[in-house]
Amino acid sequence: MSVDSYAAPREAEAASYTSPFAGLSQLSEGEPGEAPQVEERPDAPFEALYASQSPFGTESDSEADPDRETTAARDFLEALHDEDFEDALEQLLNEGAARVLADAQEWQLGAGDPGTREALEEWIAPLMTEWEHSVDGIAAGLENIDLAPLGEQELDELLDSLEPAPSLGTEVFDNFLGKLIRKAKSFIKEKIRQVGSFVKNPVKGIIDVAKSGLQTLKSGFQTIGKHLIGPILNKLKGVGLALLKGVVSKLAGPLTRLLPASVRPAVGILMSKLGLEAGESDEAQADESTASALAEAFDTELAALLYAPEGGEQLDEDQFSGEYDEFDEAAGHESELDVAESLDDARARLSTALTEHSRPEPPTAEIEQFIPVVLAIRPLLKLGLKLTGARGKLINLIATPLANLIKGMVGPDAARLIARAGVDVGFTALGLEATPDDRTVPGEALASAVESTVMEVLDELSDEALEDPLQVSAAVQRAFARAAAAYLPDTVLREDLPERESAVPGGFWILMPRRARPRYRFRKYTQVFAVPITRQQARAVRWSDGGTLETYLLDRGVQRWPVQSEIDLYEALPGTLPGHFTRDDALPAGERPVDNEFQPLTPQAAGVLLREPALGRSATALRRFPAAQRPVPGQRYFRIRVGQLPDRRSRRPRRLLVTSWDPTARRLRIGLRLSERRARALVSSMQRTAPAGQRDLPAVLTELQAIYLDRLADKVSRRLLRSSAVTDPAAARRIGAAVASATSSGISRYLIQRGASLAAAVADPAAGVTITVTFLGLTGDPTRVPPPPQVSAQPGWHHA
C-alpha cells in the first residue's frame, strides 16, 4: 500500500456510510479537501535538575514531609502498574506449567519431586542469567554519565540504547525479559527524580539520599551514576531474581502463599506508610491471577527499595541478597507447597476406597479422611476452624449426609456399572485407552463428585451456617446433585434429575491428563462438540483480548461463514494454570495449542455456541474481564478447533486495550492495538480503493470504538480510584465517562485530519499497529472537561 496514494478527506466526508444492504448503490461522496494538521505536543520533560531559583525551598530542612513521601510512593506504584508485564508473566507461568505436566506425563513425577524442581530451575536459568547481564550492562552504561541535566526524552533515549537486543531464542523468554527491563527503566528514572531533589534542596536531598543507602557523597553530580545508580541496581537485580525464583516456586507448588511476610520486612514498612495491610490474605489472592499477584508483589518490592528504608536499618547488598535467598529457601520447603500433591494423593486414596467399599454402612470414614485435605486448600478457613475447635464438627456435618447420598453407588458392583458407562460414552469418544475393567474410572468419578460437593458447600455457606446441621445437610444435598450430574455418566442418574447439565445424554467430566495420573491438573468433558459457528454467534462471544470470537477467527484466517468447528471443554482443579490445558493428551498427535486459546466457558458462551448454557459456569468469581485471572476450581473453559486454516498462527495482541496512568505528571495514555489484518482493513476503508468506492470513516470509527467504548470508562475510573487520584467512586465514574467521550472525539479528529499517519504505520513491516490517545493534565475534578487528547499511530504493539 502506498502512503502517497492516501489523501486526507475533508471533514464533511466523515458523514459517508456503507449500506448494509447487498446490491444497493452507495451514497455519493464529495471532493476531497485538505484538513489542517493537529500539532503534536511532546511529552512533558523532567524538571531541570539544576534550578535557577534558590536551592533552599520552603519545606522543612530537618525532615522529609511524610505526606509527600506517601504520595510519591503511591504515585510510583501506580505508574509501575503494567498490564503487559502481567501478560508476559502469565505466559511465562503457563509455559512452565506445561513443562511440569509434560514431565509428569513422561516420567510420572509430581510437582514436589526434587527432579521436577531441578528441571524448572534449569529451564529458567538462561532467563535469570540474561536478566543479570542486562542490569549489569545498564549499570555500566550509566556509571560515568552525567545524568543530572538530562530531560525525560534524552534519558529515555539513553536507556533505550542500553537495552540489550532479544537473544534468548524463545518468544516467551524474550518478551518477558523486555517487559522486566522496562520496569527497571521506570525504576531508574524514579531514582534520578529523587536525586533531583538534592540539587533543589540540599538539606532535604541529603536526607533522601541517606535513606537510599548512599553512605558517601561526592562533590558534583557527574558521579551520580556510579554512586547512586550502581548500588541501587544491584538491589534491583536481586528483586528480579527473587521474582523468577518465585515463578519456580509457584510452578512447583501452585497453592502456596505468594510472598511470606516474614521475609519481606521492607514491604511491611512500605505498606504501613501507605495505610495498607501488610501481606495479602490467601483469599484475596484467589481473586486475581497468579501473574497479577506476583506482578503486584514485584512492584511493591521496587517501591520499597525507594521509599521504605526509613522504618528500619537499610540493608546492604549482601544482606539484601540474603533476604531473597531466605525467601527462596523458605518457599521451597514451606509445607503449603505440598497441598496440591496431597490432594492428588488423597483423591486417589478416596477413589480406591469408594470402589472397594463392601461394608453395608455408608462410607463416612473414607469421606471424613478426605475432607481435611480439601480444607487445607482454604488456609483462612482452616485456621479459623482450628481456633474455634469446630473443625471436627464441620467434617462430620459434611461427611455424614454426603456418605448417605453416595452409598448406593459405591462398591465393586456399582464400579463395574460406572466403568462400562464411562468407557462407552467417555473414553471411546476421546480416543483414550481404557477397558470396562479399568477401576480408576468409577472411583475417580465418585471422588470428583465428593470433592466438588465439599468445595461448593464451603463456598456457599457462611461461618454461622457451617455450624447449623440442617443448613449444612441442605447445602450438601444441593451441591451433590449438581456434582453427580457433572461427574457421573447419565446412565446412572435419574432421568428426571433437574441438575443434568446437558439435554443430550453422553457427556461427563473426567480427570486429565490420563498419562499423568494421579497428578491430574484439569478435567475434560468427554463429548467434543462439532458445531457450525455463524458470524452472528461469533460476534456475541467475548474473547480474552477484549474483542470477540469473530475477531479471533478472522485473524486466524476465516473467510467464509458459518465456520465448521470442534469445541473442547475443560474444567479447572485446585492449582490449575491455563498452561496445563495445553498438555491435553486426547488431542491429535502433534497439536500444541497455546494458553490464550482457552477461554472462559460462561453460561452465555455455552448457550450461544453449544445451546447448552448449563455446561457453563458463571464468571462472578472473576472480578475483571477480560483481564487474566487465576482459574478457580470448577471454572470452565472452551477451545475452538477449526480445520483448513493456516497452520502458522498469525500474531495477535494479547490485549486490544491498555492504559497507563502517571499520577505525578497527570498523564493518562490509552493504547488501541490492531492486528495486521484489522489495521489493513481499516486503512482500506479509508481510501478510495475501498470496495464501496468511497472513504468509509464512520465504519472505521465504529470499528475502533468497538475496542474501547464499553470498557474504557470503567477501566479509567478504577485506575483513578486505585491511585487515590479520586476518592469518590461516583466522581471517578463521571471522569471515566468523560474520558471515553473525549477519546472518541480525539480519534474522530485524527481520522479526518491525519489519517495518512495511520496508513504509514500500517505500511511499516512491523506486525500490527497501536493507536495511542494521550491526555495531559487530567484532573480529579469531575466538573472539569478533560483536555483534548493527542492521538498518534505507531507500527507494532506498544505499551500505553
Side-chain angles (χ1 to χ4, degrees):
M1 173 173 42
S2 172
V3 179
D4 295 334
S5 66
Y6 180 90
R10 66 186 181 183
E11 190 165 352
E13 268 196 314
S16 62
Y17 295 87
T18 299
S19 170
F21 301 104
L24 298 182
S25 62
Q26 309 301 324
L27 297 176
S28 62
E29 58 178 330
E31 292 299 322
E34 291 295 328
Q37 298 293 312
V38 176
E39 182 180 356
E40 291 282 355
R41 293 175 53 197
D43 291 341
F46 279 148
E47 209 171 354
L49 297 182
Y50 289 101
S52 59
Q53 70 270 27
S54 168
F56 299 99
T58 58
E59 299 177 11
S60 168
D61 289 343
S62 59
E63 61 179 357
D65 181 356
D67 292 336
R68 182 175 177 180
E69 290 288 307
T70 298
T71 300
R74 281 185 180 273
D75 289 352
F76 179 60
L77 269 174
E78 179 58 29
L80 272 180
H81 180 66
D82 184 350
E83 296 162 315
D84 287 337
F85 182 76
E86 292 180 12
D87 289 343
L89 188 50
E90 185 84 21
Q91 282 184 287
L92 184 67
L93 284 162
N94 285 326
E95 179 163 299
R99 291 179 67 93
V100 171
L101 196 49
D103 286 343
Q105 289 173 288
E106 185 171 358
W107 306 108
Q108 296 292 305
L109 298 177
D113 187 278
T116 297
R117 191 176 185 91
E118 291 175 6
L120 281 170
E121 290 172 347
E122 182 180 354
W123 162 70
I124 209 168
L127 181 56
M128 299 177 74
T129 300
E130 192 63 25
W131 162 247
E132 291 186 277
H133 289 167
S134 298
V135 176
D136 289 341
I138 293 174
L142 297 176
E143 183 175 6
N144 296 313
I145 292 180
D146 183 6
L147 301 174
L150 296 183
E152 182 174 2
Q153 183 175 352
E154 294 172 308
L155 182 58
D156 284 338
E157 292 174 355
L158 173 61
L159 293 175
D160 289 344
S161 70
L162 298 174
E163 182 175 344
S167 60
L168 289 167
T170 70
E171 180 182 349
V172 172
F173 276 13
D174 285 338
N175 183 42
F176 178 75
L177 182 62
K179 303 300 186 296
L180 192 59
I181 291 174
R182 193 165 80 201
K183 292 264 190 182
K185 292 191 291 188
S186 297
F187 178 85
I188 293 168
K189 290 166 64 175
E190 180 69 6
K191 186 62 185 176
I192 293 175
R193 187 199 65 78
Q194 285 187 330
V195 175
S197 68
F198 180 91
V199 179
K200 289 187 174 182
N201 188 336
V203 177
K204 179 183 182 298
I206 290 174
I207 295 172
D208 290 342
V209 171
K211 289 176 184 178
S212 301
L214 182 63
Q215 305 301 323
T216 304
L217 295 176
K218 300 289 185 180
S219 61
F221 274 80
Q222 287 79 8
T223 57
I224 63 173
K226 181 176 182 180
H227 291 282
L228 284 176
I229 303 303
I232 202 71
L233 286 188
N234 280 333
K235 298 177 181 181
L236 169 67
K237 184 164 51 177
V239 177
L241 291 175
L243 172 65
L244 295 175
K245 291 177 182 178
V247 167
V248 170
S249 294
K250 285 304 299 176
L251 294 172
L255 297 179
T256 184
R257 294 173 60 214
L258 291 175
L259 294 171
S262 60
V263 293
R264 287 293 185 265
V267 170
I269 296 169
L270 177 65
M271 300 301 277
S272 176
K273 286 185 63 173
L274 299 183
L276 304 174
E277 294 183 6
E280 285 186 325
S281 71
D282 296 272
E283 294 293 321
Q285 290 175 2
D287 288 334
E288 61 183 356
S289 73
T290 301
S292 297
L294 282 172
E296 184 175 354
F298 178 69
D299 289 350
T300 307
E301 286 293 327
L302 295 186
L305 286 183
L306 297 176
Y307 292 100
E310 68 176 342
E313 182 181 357
Q314 174 72 22
L315 296 172
D316 62 29
E317 183 178 346
D318 293 337
Q319 290 172 318
F320 185 86
S321 299
E323 285 294 321
Y324 285 90
D325 290 341
E326 179 185 347
F327 162 67
D328 185 53
E329 188 72 14
H333 295 86
E334 191 174 356
S335 61
E336 290 183 17
L337 284 174
D338 300 326
V339 171
E341 195 158 317
S342 296
L343 181 58
D344 292 336
D345 294 335
R347 191 188 293 120
R349 289 194 300 270
L350 179 62
S351 171
T352 301
L354 294 179
T355 301
E356 297 178 350
H357 184 83
S358 57
R359 302 186 305 276
E361 65 271 15
T364 307
E366 291 86 343
I367 296 175
E368 285 181 336
Q369 293 173 5
F370 178 73
I371 292 177
V373 184
V374 180
L375 291 177
I377 300 171
R378 306 285 300 277
L380 295 185
L381 177 62
K382 179 179 65 175
L383 176 61
L385 293 173
K386 285 181 178 179
L387 295 177
T388 62
R391 184 171 181 269
K393 179 182 177 182
L394 175 61
I395 291 173
N396 181 262
L397 286 179
I398 295 176
T400 299
L402 185 51
N404 281 283
L405 287 169
I406 207 173
K407 66 179 181 180
M409 293 307 299
V410 299
D413 293 338
R416 283 190 289 271
L417 175 64
I418 297 173
R420 283 195 297 269
V423 170
D424 290 343
V425 301
F427 285 71
T428 301
L430 293 178
L432 297 171
E433 295 181 1
T435 67
D437 294 327
D438 188 345
R439 302 177 64 172
T440 65
V441 176
E444 288 173 354
L446 293 172
S448 288
V450 170
E451 180 181 341
S452 177
T453 300
V454 174
M455 297 191 73
E456 186 172 335
V457 169
L458 295 177
D459 287 336
E460 178 183 337
L461 297 183
S462 64
D463 293 342
E464 294 77 11
L466 286 172
E467 298 179 2
D468 183 343
L470 182 57
Q471 291 193 64
V472 172
S473 294
V476 167
Q477 184 163 316
R478 291 193 301 271
F480 182 71
R482 287 190 286 268
Y487 306 121
L488 293 171
D490 286 308
T491 54
V492 302
L493 302 175
R494 298 194 335 256
E495 291 186 2
D496 63 341
L497 186 68
E499 286 81 7
R500 285 176 181 265
E501 295 184 333
S502 174
V504 179
F508 67 107
W509 299 87
I510 61 173
L511 291 161
M512 296 283 285
R514 301 305 299 176
R515 289 200 299 270
R517 63 182 180 188
R519 307 303 178 205
Y520 300 120
R521 284 298 167 263
F522 58 89
R523 296 187 182 95
K524 184 172 183 178
Y525 199 63
T526 57
Q527 180 179 348
V528 177
F529 292 84
V531 296
I533 301 176
T534 67
R535 192 163 194 169
Q536 291 73 23
Q537 287 175 301
R539 187 169 293 184
V541 177
R542 300 186 68 179
W543 206 254
S544 61
D545 60 6
T548 64
L549 174 57
E550 178 194 24
T551 58
Y552 169 78
L553 291 175
L554 288 172
D555 285 342
R556 286 294 312 274
V558 167
Q559 296 178 342
R560 295 183 179 180
W561 304 87
V563 178
Q564 296 299 322
S565 69
E566 291 185 338
I567 302 179
D568 297 297
L569 308 184
Y570 300 85
E571 183 179 278
L573 294 172
T576 295
L577 291 174
H580 290 136
F581 298 140
T582 66
R583 300 303 305 185
D584 178 4
D585 52 8
L587 293 177
E591 185 171 335
R592 286 291 177 265
V594 295
D595 59 314
N596 60 349
E597 292 182 34
F598 299 87
Q599 300 290 307
L601 183 70
T602 62
Q604 188 263 352
V608 170
L609 294 175
L610 311 175
R611 295 187 175 87
E612 297 282 7
L615 284 172
R617 289 287 172 87
S618 173
T620 53
L622 308 180
R623 295 187 176 182
R624 298 183 304 275
F625 186 90
Q629 296 291 328
R630 172 188 298 179
V632 296
Q635 179 64 41
R636 290 176 178 173
Y637 295 79
F638 70 93
R639 174 177 176 254
I640 292 180
R641 287 186 282 153
V642 179
Q644 298 180 343
L645 290 181
D647 292 334
R648 183 179 180 182
R649 296 183 179 86
S650 59
R651 291 190 60 203
R652 306 177 70 252
R654 290 180 75 93
R655 294 182 193 240
L656 302 182
L657 174 66
V658 291
T659 60
S660 68
W661 166 238
D662 186 343
T664 303
R666 313 298 295 181
R667 180 173 59 209
L668 174 70
R669 283 199 178 109
I670 299 160
L672 310 181
R673 293 169 175 168
L674 308 176
S675 67
E676 186 69 15
R677 175 204 61 81
R678 200 171 193 179
R680 291 187 178 278
L682 290 183
V683 171
S684 176
S685 296
M686 296 169 63
Q687 298 190 2
R688 290 187 180 278
T689 56
Q694 66 179 35
R695 300 182 183 91
D696 192 357
L697 295 189
V700 174
L701 180 59
T702 298
E703 182 80 2
L704 294 175
Q705 286 178 326
I707 297 175
Y708 67 86
L709 204 55
D710 65 337
R711 296 186 296 124
L712 181 58
D714 179 63
K715 199 175 182 71
V716 170
S717 65
R718 284 191 283 109
R719 293 215 67 164
L720 294 176
L721 289 170
R722 169 191 168 110
S723 68
S724 299
V726 181
T727 56
D728 180 15
R733 286 193 294 271
R734 289 198 296 273
I735 295 172
V739 166
S741 177
T743 297
S744 290
S745 298
I747 293 177
S748 177
R749 287 193 299 271
Y750 172 80
L751 293 175
I752 294 171
Q753 299 172 356
R754 299 170 50 238
S757 65
L758 177 58
V762 174
D764 189 276
V769 170
T770 301
I771 297 176
T772 303
V773 182
T774 304
F775 290 88
L776 298 174
L778 188 67
T779 71
D781 184 357
T783 64
R784 295 185 60 181
V785 177
Q790 300 174 8
V791 183
S792 61
Q794 303 86 31
W797 299 316
H798 300 274
H799 63 283

